[in-house]
């Protein structure tokens, strides 16, 4: 699964903030109302860091944080 597919499944709607390069994605946090993109995802390692919440790890583990 791609990051967009995972976030779309959980009704993520902040794709306007999406900035993508060959190996990384920077976008707004799925968990907070940030004004600047604070969610970093490394596509090669499948790891993320959300600087607005301090959460990080493997992207599939983050699905448990959704209610």
């Amino acid at each position: 699964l791609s990051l967009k597919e995972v976030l779309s499944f959980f009704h993520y709607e902040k794709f306007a903030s999406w900035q993508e390069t060959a190996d990384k994605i920077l976008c707004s946090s799925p968990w907070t109302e940030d004004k600047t993109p604070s969610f970093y995802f490394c596509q090669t390692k499948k790891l993320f860091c959300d600087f607005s919440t301090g959460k990080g790890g493997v992207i599939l583990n983050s699905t448990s944080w959704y209610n």
Side-chain angles (χ1 to χ4, degrees), residues 3 18-26 40-44:
L3 178 63
W18 203 267
Q19 301 169 25
E20 187 169 352
T21 64
D23 65 336
K24 49 190 159 174
I25 295 170
L26 181 65
Y40 171 86
F41 178 69
C42 178
Q43 298 187 83
T44 55

Side-chain angles (χ1 to χ4, degrees), residues 18-59:
W18 203 267
Q19 301 169 25
E20 187 169 352
T21 64
D23 65 336
K24 49 190 159 174
I25 295 170
L26 181 65
C27 61
S28 292
S29 171
W31 299 285
T32 63
E33 293 296 323
D34 49 1
K35 294 185 182 191
T36 58
S38 62
F39 185 87
Y40 171 86
F41 178 69
C42 178
Q43 298 187 83
T44 55
K45 296 180 181 179
K46 305 294 185 206
L47 298 173
F48 77 95
C49 181
D50 185 341
F51 294 99
S52 69
T53 64
K55 295 177 180 178
V58 179
I59 194 63

